[in-house]
Amino acid sequence: MPESIYKPIEFIGLPEPAHGALAAAKTHRKVMEARRSLRFFSTRKVERELIEELILIAGTAPSGAHKQPWTFVAISDSEKKREIRIAAEAEERHFYDSAAGEEWLRDLRPLGTDWEKPFLEDAPWLVAVFRQSTAPDGSKHYYTQESLGISCGFLIAAIHQIGLVTLTHTPSPMNFLSGILERPTNEKPFLLLPIGYPADGATVPDLKRKNLEQIAVFF
């Protein structure tokens, strides 16, 4: 390849490290322990600027060779949301009726989920996250699955941090999103996130998370 296509990257110093790191970590953990996936959304308006800031936060995630292989499609249009709900529920109905095994359905039963997804219309915003298999110009991307996973983690944490709620929705397959949202062939749907405020009286499962000894090993 011609040498001219490579753009040199300048390196800069890091900000001074924050003091009180342990206290900050404990505070942040308590905030994140309150995070739950929510299926009951208020129709209360969420400003577009908030969604823009959340997407910009997601875009700060690390990625393979800094290729940033993601596209975030934000949808507030009611007709588009309706179209997405209809298509998603068709896939979900097939999943619950025949695709999911009995063990999977048994594990889901305590959460009370089913094929109906009204939150796809109730939430003021849907953000569909697409993974770019290659760049728009055809050049390679690297570690796209891992990069998208990290970016979505940033996004979900930020949504909770500012007082909004979301749900990680992954109807399978999700190819209908590519058609409805007119995405190019180099982009594949990765995740669908309804974003908004909780509905009045909304409840979430009282989940217990694994303790440190169950999720970590130290040497």
Side-chain angles (χ1 to χ4, degrees):
M1 289 186 179
E3 190 175 348
S4 60
I5 71 168
Y6 295 102
K7 296 179 181 179
I9 296 176
E10 294 185 5
F11 288 79
I12 59 175
L14 285 170
E16 288 293 319
H19 296 292
L22 181 57
K26 288 178 180 287
T27 298
H28 185 62
R29 175 168 63 85
K30 288 184 177 181
V31 170
M32 294 308 296
E33 280 179 343
R35 188 211 59 79
R36 294 289 188 278
S37 295
L38 190 87
R39 291 172 172 80
F40 308 102
F41 287 80
S42 167
T43 57
R44 175 182 168 191
K45 183 178 179 180
V46 172
E47 297 295 333
R48 172 173 166 161
E49 189 176 3
L50 268 181
I51 301 301
E52 291 174 351
E53 290 296 325
L54 289 169
I55 291 172
L56 287 170
I57 290 169
T60 68
S63 60
H66 194 53
K67 292 285 189 168
Q68 306 165 82
W70 40 64
T71 301
F72 300 88
V73 182
I75 307 109
S76 63
D77 179 78
S78 59
E79 291 185 11
K80 281 289 185 191
K81 290 195 294 181
R82 176 66 177 165
E83 193 175 354
I84 288 170
R85 178 184 177 181
I86 290 170
E89 286 186 336
E91 298 296 350
E92 292 288 288
R93 189 183 293 111
H94 173 68
F95 169 79
Y96 279 91
D97 288 349
S98 58
E102 179 52 38
E103 182 178 7
W104 197 341
L105 291 176
R106 187 173 63 247
D107 288 340
L108 287 173
R109 208 163 286 135
L111 299 173
T113 62
D114 58 29
W115 63 267
E116 293 185 279
K117 309 299 177 186
F119 54 78
L120 293 175
E121 287 189 274
D122 293 340
W125 288 92
L126 303 179
V127 172
V129 185
F130 285 82
R131 176 181 64 86
Q132 297 177 7
S133 54
T134 61
D137 63 3
S139 59
K140 283 189 69 175
H141 280 329
Y142 311 96
Y143 299 108
T144 56
Q145 289 284 119
E146 296 86 347
S147 300
L148 264 289
I150 296 168
S151 180
C152 289
F154 276 35
L155 178 53
I156 293 164
I159 290 167
H160 177 70
Q161 191 79 41
I162 67 169
L164 299 178
V165 291
T166 190
L167 168 73
T168 52
H169 187 49
T170 53
S172 181
M174 288 194 286
N175 296 330
F176 63 86
L177 287 172
S178 298
I180 292 172
L181 300 175
E182 303 175 8
R183 302 316 304 155
T185 57
N186 70 306
E187 294 185 4
K188 306 300 178 187
F190 184 81
L191 185 63
L192 183 60
L193 293 167
I195 301 174
Y197 292 99
D200 291 341
T203 58
V204 294
D206 184 15
L207 300 175
K208 306 301 179 189
R209 293 185 167 96
K210 294 179 179 180
N211 62 35
L212 184 63
E213 289 72 23
Q214 292 173 299
I215 66 173
V217 177
F218 290 84
F219 286 97

